[in-house]
Structure formats: C-alpha cells, structure tokens
Amino acid sequence: MSINKEGNGYTMTFAIVMVVVVGGLLAYIASTLKPIQQANVKNEKMQNILQAIGLEETNGVSRDEAGKIFNDYITERIILDYDGNVVSKKTNEDQIESAAKSMKDEKDAFNLEVRKYYNTLTGLMKKYPEGGAEYEAAIKEKGITYPLFVAENGGKKYFVTYFSGKGLWDDIWGYVAFREDGTTINGTVFDHKGETPGLGSKITEELFQNQFIGKIITDENSGEYKPIKVEKPGGEYNQHQVAGLSGATFTAVGVDEMMNRSLEVYNKYFSSLKTASVQPIELPVSDTNMMDSIQVVVDSTMLAIK
Amino acid sequence: MSETKEPLFSKKNKKLISDPLNLNNPVTIQVLGICSALAVTVQMDNAIVMSIAVLFVLVMGNLIVSLMRNLIPSKIKIIVQLVIVAALVIIVDQVLKAFVYDVSKSLSVFVGLIITNCIIMGRLEAFALGNKPWASILDGVGNGLGYGLILVVVAFFKELFGSGKLLGFEIFGNSVDQTGLYAIGYEDNGLMLLPPSSLILVALYIWIQKKRTPSLIDEH
C-alpha cells in the first residue's frame, strides 16, 4: 500500500511530526548547554569587574579564573537608590546565585540588570525631556537602582560602578572603578553589543579605557560633582576630559552620556561617605596634590603621543 | 541494485568538491551569501569560525534533506528546508555560546543569519533534493569550502591592512607603541575595517579569477 504523498493528510502529519521532533531536539540541546552558557556570562561579568578595579593582580585575569578569585577581591555588593542610599548590602560571605531568572536574588547587586533598567530610564527620559523634579520622582517610583561593588586589596578600598547606555547601534555598558576618595578613577572597562568594528568597538581597547585612570569626577574647588567629558580627539585634556575616538563620535557621545548620568548618582553615595569620615579638612589638600601629579602624567603622555 | 557501485571519490564526485572552489564558487561566481562575507571578515578568526559554522550547517542540511528527499511533501518543501536549516543554526549558535563564548560574541547576529544565507537554501533546493546522500555531503563540503575560501582571503587582507595583524598577531608592529613599520610613518587603512572594503576585495578576487580562467567570462 502506498501513501498519497500529495494529500493534505500526509502533508499535515509530516509537518506535525517534524515540528515535534525538531522542537524536542532543540529544547534538549538548549537545556543541556544552559548551565555552561550561564557560567560564561557570570564569569565574564566577574572578569570585567575585576579588570576594572585597575589592580596589577587582577589585570588580564582570564574568564575562568575570575570566577574563582572574585570573592577574594570583591568584599561587598551594594545596591544604591537614586539618592545614593544603600538599599541592600551583600558581602563575599553570601553566595552569588547562578540559578534561573525567576530564582535570582534581586537583593544582590551582582544580579542587577543595568541594561534592563536603562530601557526603563529611556522611557522616562522621553516622557520628561526637561528632567526636573517630576523626572526624578518617576525614577524613584520605578525603583531604578544602581549596583556598586566594593573591592579591598592591600588595605585599600576600591569602588566599582556599573552602568549602561546607548552607543550608535546598540547598548553599551561600562564598569568604572574609583579609589578610596570616591572621586579618582582607578580603572575602567567598557563593552558594547554592536558598535562598528574598528571604530566604535575601540571603546573596549586599553588605549581608550586607560585614559580615564586618574581623572576625577568632582570639582577641585567646590567638591561638587563635575562630569567627565569625552572630547574630540587631539588637543589638550584636563582632569575632567578624555579623548574620544575619531570615526566613532556617537559611541563616544554614548559613553559620555551614560557616565555623566550614572556617576552623578554614585557621587551622592561617595559624598555621603566623605561627610561621614572624620577628616573633612584633610581631603581637599590631598586632592590637589594628587591632581598636580595627574596633570604632569597627562602632559607627559600627550608629549609622548605627539 | 545490480549496477556496479560508484567509487567514493570518482571523478564526478571530486568535481563536486573542486567546482565550488573555483569554477562555480558560490560567492564570486554565483554571488550568493555576499552579506555575511562582507560583514564578518574584519578578523581572520571570526571568518574561520563563520566558515566552519556555514560548512557544518551546509553539510548537515544537505545530508538530512537528501536522506528525506523522497519523504518531503512537495507542497511544503521550502518550509521543511527552512526548519532543518534553522534547527541546525540554533544548534551551532548554542554550542558556540557554550564553548567559544568570545567568538560567539564577536559574530553576534551573523550566526543566526546563516539561516538566510542564500548558499544554504540554494544548495538544499538545487542539489540535495535530487541527489543521493554521499553526493550531497560532498556538494556541501565543496560549497562550504568555497564560501570559506573567499571569507578567509578577504579577511586576510582586511585584517592585515586594517589593523596590521593576522589572527591577532602583530605583523607590522604595534601601532600604539609606534614600533615596527609604524615607527617609520606607516598607518593602518581605516577603510579596510568597514564593509565596503570587502566589496572591493571580492571584486578584485573575481577580476583575477576571471582573468586566469577565460571560460568564466560571459559571452555577451
């Protein structure tokens, strides 16, 4: 008995069997490989955070290694709200869960999805293009929070911030580490989803990232927040400016925008630390000293480039 | 089944592999699969992984379709082919994400876009549906290699002149520290990093290829 291969019954049966077989196969493969993929994503994040601290010990750490030594360096994982208040705090005693999305510990700064929060934020930016009190109230209402990682090494503290924004084509994100003073940058890591290779993608290169080291986010006189500007390449830069990338203006604008927007919030937290500390008079003095030395370093690098 | 069995690598079968490399190259002669050839050729390692991924999908797709060629209902044959290709591509994508995470990040959407690579659907429809499994595998290998050849050749020039490197090794010295050729004023060609330069390189390849093989030139 032969089957009528032109009939609708055969076609339907074939289609149903095919879909079930292919669907089952893909579901099996996806669920088998999922733990490995999640570990990759988690270790990459740890690698980025460690790399951003700007320590010699963690410079160039591999992805697998990062997963092992992460807790040796990162002692606290803090979530901040828009006013810079601590919402939750985890220490390296607490495990980082790598479970499925539904089981993720939302109180753990490591699990905060800043790219998701950025999408919420862009919605608010469109709604309140002028900013102002309404905009800030909306941010608080939506519960947008900011992750902060505290690293300790050799008796010194470092703060690693993590935020996201938009480049030319797609999401960009960055990890910026500050020294104990809460104003001097000690290291950065930037990454992107789909910037132009060879142009915008250069934000992932050390040449761009290392420029930020030693720059400060507060005004030298007033101590107020002062954003770091990504300027046109070529020319002189002070301690609030870095060189952008030629051919990647919009990626640089994106880096500029996401840093300014996010670091303002982190600065609120850093300032609260400063007022809580016992030496309010000594801070500005050490600041100026540091700035002088930074200026010299910047000048000499400029000469070297020329 | 009384006819004598054809040897595995008969002259006809060898031609299935060698033809797509030169005389019937899917990229330069048939001008298929150009999109990914332009986009993932900035670095050699990406081009190589992409070629392997396409080769895998093409060979497996050809084999499966060829095995099922008498079962596939003709009304939905394109859909069936699409499902097979899509399933294979998802498998490749998932495996890359699990085991070569960095490469999968830099290839990003282009692995997923193998589904729409015209070479694959073209070979399934034109060859695998009407030929035996072994011949279909060889056809897949040939076309996959033909595609990979162009990708690697284009990536070689793009990476060399665009960033002075090959497979990540610095050939012309370090452009940041100004060593090697850079010390005497050499500069990387930024155009080489952008998709348009692949068009120029592919065109040059076609020109040289046709110059060497006059039979390829259309008689119009």
Side-chain angles (χ1 to χ4, degrees), chain B residues 6 9-18 131 135 138:
Chain B
E6 202 182 341
F9 285 101
S10 65
K11 208 171 176 192
K12 201 178 107 214
N13 281 348
K14 273 188 192 153
K15 229 172 127 56
L16 284 176
I17 291 193
S18 63
N131 284 281
L138 292 180

Side-chain angles (χ1 to χ4, degrees), chain A residues 258-306:
Chain A
M258 74 169 176
M259 276 185 85
N260 293 347
R261 165 169 48 76
S262 317
L263 293 182
E264 192 177 2
V265 176
Y266 287 108
N267 187 55
K268 291 177 195 164
Y269 173 73
F270 294 144
S271 328
S272 72
L273 288 184
K274 278 179 218 164
T275 42
S277 74
V278 259
Q279 317 138 307
I281 313 152
E282 232 178 283
L283 262 168
V285 180
S286 63
D287 261 12
T288 26
N289 280 343
M290 204 180 296
M291 260 145 33
D292 284 346
S293 57
I294 292 162
Q295 193 61 52
V296 174
V297 174
V298 172
D299 285 350
S300 57
T301 33
M302 286 315 297
L303 282 174
I305 290 167
K306 278 171 191 166

